[in-house]
Amino acid sequence: MIQYTVEKRINPMDKLNPKFYPKIVRAATLQTDEIANLLQSRTTLDKSEVYSFLKAFANAVQFLITHSYTVEVEGLGIFTPAIKAKAVDDLGDLTAKTILKKGVNFRPTAKMTTRHKSIGFEKANLDVEHI
Amino acid sequence: MAYIYKKVKKKISVGKNPGEKYFAAMVSEGKASSKQVCELIDKDSTISAADAELLFRALGEVVSENIEMGRGVNLEGLGVFSPNLKTQGQSTADEVTVDDIKKVTVNFRPSSTLRKAMEQAPVKESSRFNLMHV
């Protein structure tokens, strides 16, 4: 069950007609130690082995992404390297310097996406937020 | 190590300066399958490839279950997976209902360690592609 509240947003192009949207109320984030406990309880491995796995997993993703590889993780999703670049008028001006940012995109598995279609929602008893 | 890019030509019809533009686009050097990632983990840790495969499935379950509860999941060194909503707006607060929630998405925000590695990675033009027209 996901809790939501209502948020008021003002469009700078149409300030006289604000709109109201549902906004997620985030619960506390699960930290690495809690994740290790959960993974340990679901496997036959001990906690130090789970930590070793998590560290190696992070290293593997970092290595592959920075070598321009897409990374598929069964059960979780796909990590894809991405760049943000500015457009130029002349081909001669198109160099590596036009790349403004390097990053990574993530797409969950189809199974996870389908599973999330049946999530229930509950309105939290909070005041409308203004942004 | 590098982010590989290709040169792309595209006609832009919106904005202050429309017309034919050139920009850099990402090129993938390939896809590392889940099995290959498990093999990398096998070499870099005390975990076998087979155990890594089991752990991936368990990790996927943990992330999914917590997303369903509105909780984020922070994997140190990698990043945070968090739930987000795709929604539509209404004219008044009272009109907003559950039906305005169209989809739950999973956001991924890389850790500072991963962000730093990406920032420091060089960029290189692909030798495989000539100018692409899109």
Side-chain angles (χ1 to χ4, degrees):
Chain A
M1 180 77 70
I2 288 182
Q3 286 206 320
Y4 73 95
T5 182
V6 178
E7 173 185 75
K8 177 182 175 182
R9 291 185 211 162
I10 297 172
N11 183 345
M13 306 296 284
D14 186 13
K15 289 181 183 177
L16 296 176
N17 295 300
K19 289 273 194 185
F20 295 82
Y21 295 80
K23 182 188 171 181
I24 193 167
V25 176
R26 289 216 174 88
T29 298
L30 199 70
Q31 298 301 329
T32 304
D33 195 56
E34 294 165 281
I35 298 161
N37 285 336
L38 284 169
L39 292 177
Q40 183 199 1
S41 69
R42 295 176 192 213
T43 63
T44 55
L45 300 165
D46 65 46
K47 208 165 166 183
S48 64
E49 288 172 309
V50 172
Y51 266 110
S52 179
F53 159 77
L54 290 173
K55 189 174 176 191
F57 174 38
N59 287 345
V61 170
Q62 180 181 307
F63 174 81
L64 290 163
I65 289 294
T66 55
H67 282 76
S68 289
Y69 277 84
T70 298
V71 184
E72 182 178 32
V73 179
E74 196 177 321
L76 186 61
I78 295 180
F79 298 87
T80 310
I83 56 174
K84 191 174 175 180
K86 68 174 181 183
V88 294
D89 293 319
D90 294 309
L91 182 58
D93 293 334
L94 177 43
T95 66
K97 287 181 182 170
T98 60
I99 295 172
L100 303 171
K101 195 177 173 185
K102 292 163 276 179
V104 58
N105 291 335
F106 171 75
R107 190 174 79 242
T109 60
K111 188 179 170 186
M112 197 186 290
T113 302
T114 302
R115 180 173 164 166
H116 292 165
K117 284 180 182 172
S118 56
I119 290 175
F121 301 97
E122 180 184 71
K123 192 170 177 188
N125 197 14
L126 297 168
D127 292 335
V128 174
E129 285 187 39
H130 295 241
I131 65 160
Chain B
M1 169 167 99
Y3 272 71
I4 312 290
Y5 72 95
K6 62 186 176 188
K7 293 181 178 178
V8 173
K9 180 181 173 182
K10 189 175 178 181
K11 196 169 181 180
I12 306 291
S13 52
V14 295
K16 288 179 188 173
N17 188 19
E20 281 190 339
K21 304 285 177 188
Y22 301 89
F23 58 94
M26 188 73 211
V27 172
S28 174
E29 287 289 88
K31 184 171 171 180
S33 68
S34 206
K35 189 178 171 191
Q36 286 168 318
V37 180
C38 290
E39 283 162 10
L40 275 176
I41 290 172
D42 184 311
K43 287 180 185 149
D44 190 28
S45 71
T46 56
I47 298 294
S48 69
D51 283 336
E53 211 176 307
L54 291 171
L55 281 163
F56 273 149
R57 285 202 210 108
L59 181 59
E61 289 290 324
V62 167
V63 169
S64 193
E65 285 161 13
N66 281 277
I67 293 293
E68 287 170 15
M69 291 189 281
R71 293 187 80 175
V73 176
N74 179 16
L75 288 176
E76 201 174 309
L78 183 65
V80 180
F81 299 90
S82 57
N84 210 355
L85 303 179
K86 199 165 174 180
T87 60
Q88 68 181 18
Q90 297 292 348
S91 303
T92 66
D94 289 339
E95 288 176 282
V96 174
T97 67
V98 161
D99 292 337
D100 295 312
I101 298 172
K102 296 304 170 188
K103 197 177 171 182
V104 175
T105 59
V106 180
N107 278 2
F108 173 71
R109 191 174 75 247
S111 68
S112 55
T113 312
L114 180 54
R115 268 202 319 273
K116 191 174 174 184
M118 292 188 296
E119 277 161 25
Q120 291 178 346
V123 292
K124 198 172 119 180
E125 187 180 346
S126 173
S127 56
R128 290 190 283 133
F129 295 94
N130 293 322
L131 178 66
M132 309 272 294
H133 295 242
V134 293

Coordinates of all heavy atoms in Angstrom, one line a residue, chain A residues 4-5 8 13 16 24-25 29 32 37 42 44 59 65 69 73 85-86 95-96 98 101 104 106 118 121 123 127:
Chain A
Y4 N -0.5 8.6 -0.3 CA -0.3 9.7 -1.1 C -1.0 10.9 -0.4 O -1.9 10.8 0.4 CB -0.8 9.5 -2.5 CG -2.4 9.5 -2.6 CD1 -3.1 10.7 -3.0 CD2 -3.1 8.4 -2.4 CE1 -4.4 10.7 -3.1 CE2 -4.5 8.3 -2.6 CZ -5.1 9.5 -2.9 OH -6.5 9.5 -3.0
T5 N -0.5 12.1 -0.8 CA -1.1 13.4 -0.4 C -1.4 14.2 -1.6 O -1.3 13.6 -2.7 CB -0.2 14.1 0.6 OG1 -0.8 15.3 1.0 CG2 1.1 14.5 -0.1
K8 N -0.2 21.0 -4.8 CA -0.6 22.1 -5.7 C 0.6 22.5 -6.5 O 1.6 22.8 -5.9 CB -1.2 23.3 -4.9 CG -1.6 24.5 -5.7 CD -2.1 25.6 -4.8 CE -2.4 26.9 -5.5 NZ -2.8 27.9 -4.5
M13 N 3.7 29.2 -17.0 CA 3.0 29.7 -18.2 C 1.5 30.0 -18.0 O 0.9 30.5 -18.9 CB 3.2 28.6 -19.3 CG 4.6 28.2 -19.5 SD 5.7 29.5 -20.1 CE 5.2 29.7 -21.8
L16 N -2.5 31.5 -13.2 CA -3.9 31.7 -12.7 C -4.6 30.4 -12.5 O -5.7 30.4 -11.8 CB -4.7 32.7 -13.6 CG -4.1 34.1 -13.7 CD1 -4.9 34.9 -14.6 CD2 -4.1 34.8 -12.3
I24 N 3.3 11.1 -3.8 CA 3.7 10.0 -2.9 C 4.2 10.5 -1.6 O 4.9 11.5 -1.5 CB 4.7 9.1 -3.6 CG1 4.8 7.7 -2.9 CG2 6.1 9.7 -3.7 CD1 5.6 6.7 -3.7
V25 N 3.8 9.8 -0.5 CA 4.3 10.0 0.8 C 5.3 8.9 1.1 O 4.9 7.7 1.2 CB 3.2 10.0 1.9 CG1 3.8 10.1 3.3 CG2 2.2 11.1 1.7
T29 N 13.6 5.0 3.9 CA 14.4 4.2 3.0 C 15.1 3.1 3.7 O 15.7 3.3 4.8 CB 15.5 5.1 2.3 OG1 14.8 6.1 1.6 CG2 16.3 4.3 1.3
T32 N 21.4 -0.3 3.6 CA 22.2 -1.5 3.2 C 22.2 -2.6 4.2 O 22.1 -3.8 3.9 CB 23.6 -1.1 2.8 OG1 23.6 -0.1 1.8 CG2 24.4 -2.3 2.3
N37 N 20.4 -8.0 5.8 CA 19.6 -8.9 6.7 C 18.5 -9.7 6.0 O 18.3 -10.9 6.2 CB 19.0 -8.1 7.9 CG 20.0 -7.7 8.9 OD1 21.0 -8.3 9.1 ND2 19.6 -6.6 9.7
R42 N 16.8 -14.9 3.2 CA 16.2 -15.6 2.1 C 17.1 -16.5 1.4 O 16.8 -17.1 0.4 CB 15.7 -14.5 1.1 CG 14.5 -13.7 1.7 CD 14.1 -12.6 0.8 NE 13.2 -11.7 1.5 CZ 12.2 -11.0 0.9 NH1 12.0 -11.2 -0.4 NH2 11.5 -10.2 1.6
T44 N 21.0 -19.1 2.0 CA 21.8 -19.9 2.9 C 23.1 -19.2 3.3 O 24.0 -19.8 3.9 CB 22.0 -21.3 2.4 OG1 22.7 -21.2 1.1 CG2 20.8 -22.1 2.2
N59 N 30.5 -2.7 -7.8 CA 31.7 -2.6 -8.6 C 31.5 -3.0 -10.1 O 32.0 -2.4 -11.0 CB 32.9 -3.4 -8.0 CG 33.4 -2.9 -6.7 OD1 33.2 -1.7 -6.4 ND2 34.2 -3.7 -6.0
I65 N 29.2 0.1 -16.8 CA 28.6 1.3 -17.3 C 29.6 2.3 -17.8 O 29.4 2.9 -18.9 CB 27.8 2.0 -16.1 CG1 26.5 1.2 -15.8 CG2 27.4 3.4 -16.5 CD1 25.5 1.2 -16.9
Y69 N 28.7 -0.3 -21.4 CA 27.9 -1.6 -21.5 C 26.6 -1.4 -20.8 O 26.5 -0.8 -19.8 CB 28.7 -2.8 -20.9 CG 29.6 -3.4 -21.8 CD1 30.9 -2.9 -22.0 CD2 29.3 -4.5 -22.6 CE1 31.8 -3.5 -22.9 CE2 30.2 -5.1 -23.5 CZ 31.4 -4.6 -23.6 OH 32.3 -5.1 -24.5
V73 N 20.3 -7.3 -15.0 CA 20.3 -8.0 -13.7 C 18.9 -8.7 -13.6 O 17.9 -8.1 -13.4 CB 20.5 -7.0 -12.6 CG1 20.5 -7.7 -11.2 CG2 21.8 -6.2 -12.7
A85 N 23.7 15.8 -24.0 CA 24.6 16.6 -24.9 C 23.8 17.8 -25.5 O 22.6 17.7 -25.7 CB 25.1 15.7 -26.0
K86 N 24.5 18.8 -25.7 CA 23.9 20.0 -26.4 C 24.0 19.9 -27.9 O 25.0 19.4 -28.4 CB 24.4 21.3 -25.8 CG 25.8 21.6 -26.2 CD 26.2 23.1 -25.7 CE 27.6 23.4 -26.1 NZ 28.1 24.7 -25.7
T95 N 32.0 18.1 -30.7 CA 33.1 17.4 -30.1 C 32.7 16.8 -28.8 O 31.5 17.0 -28.4 CB 34.3 18.4 -29.8 OG1 33.8 19.3 -28.8 CG2 34.7 19.1 -31.1
A96 N 33.6 16.1 -28.1 CA 33.3 15.6 -26.8 C 32.9 16.6 -25.8 O 32.2 16.4 -24.8 CB 34.5 14.8 -26.3
T98 N 30.7 18.9 -26.1 CA 29.3 19.2 -26.1 C 28.5 18.2 -25.2 O 27.3 18.4 -25.0 CB 28.7 19.1 -27.6 OG1 28.9 17.7 -28.0 CG2 29.4 20.1 -28.5
K101 N 26.7 15.9 -19.6 CA 26.6 15.0 -18.4 C 26.7 13.5 -18.8 O 26.2 13.2 -19.9 CB 25.2 15.3 -17.8 CG 25.1 14.8 -16.4 CD 23.7 15.2 -15.8 CE 23.5 14.5 -14.5 NZ 22.2 14.8 -13.9
V104 N 23.5 7.3 -15.8 CA 22.9 5.9 -16.0 C 21.4 5.9 -15.8 O 20.9 6.6 -15.0 CB 23.6 4.9 -15.0 CG1 23.3 5.4 -13.5 CG2 23.1 3.5 -15.2
F106 N 17.8 3.5 -15.4 CA 17.4 2.2 -15.0 C 16.0 1.9 -15.4 O 15.1 2.8 -15.3 CB 17.5 2.2 -13.4 CG 16.9 0.9 -12.8 CD1 17.6 -0.3 -12.9 CD2 15.6 0.9 -12.2 CE1 17.0 -1.5 -12.4 CE2 15.1 -0.2 -11.7 CZ 15.8 -1.4 -11.8
S118 N -0.7 -3.6 -9.5 CA -1.8 -3.9 -8.5 C -1.5 -3.3 -7.2 O -2.1 -3.8 -6.2 CB -1.9 -5.5 -8.5 OG -0.7 -6.0 -8.1
F121 N -3.5 2.1 -3.0 CA -3.1 3.5 -2.5 C -4.1 3.9 -1.4 O -5.3 3.5 -1.4 CB -3.2 4.5 -3.7 CG -2.3 4.1 -4.8 CD1 -2.8 3.4 -5.9 CD2 -1.0 4.4 -4.8 CE1 -2.0 3.1 -7.0 CE2 -0.2 4.1 -5.9 CZ -0.7 3.4 -6.9
K123 N -5.0 7.5 0.9 CA -4.8 9.0 1.1 C -4.3 9.3 2.5 O -5.0 8.9 3.5 CB -6.0 9.8 0.8 CG -5.8 11.3 0.6 CD -6.9 12.0 0.1 CE -6.6 13.5 0.0 NZ -7.8 14.3 -0.3
D127 N -2.0 18.1 5.0 CA -2.5 19.3 4.3 C -1.9 19.3 2.8 O -0.9 18.6 2.5 CB -1.9 20.5 5.0 CG -2.6 20.7 6.3 OD1 -3.7 20.2 6.5 OD2 -2.0 21.4 7.2

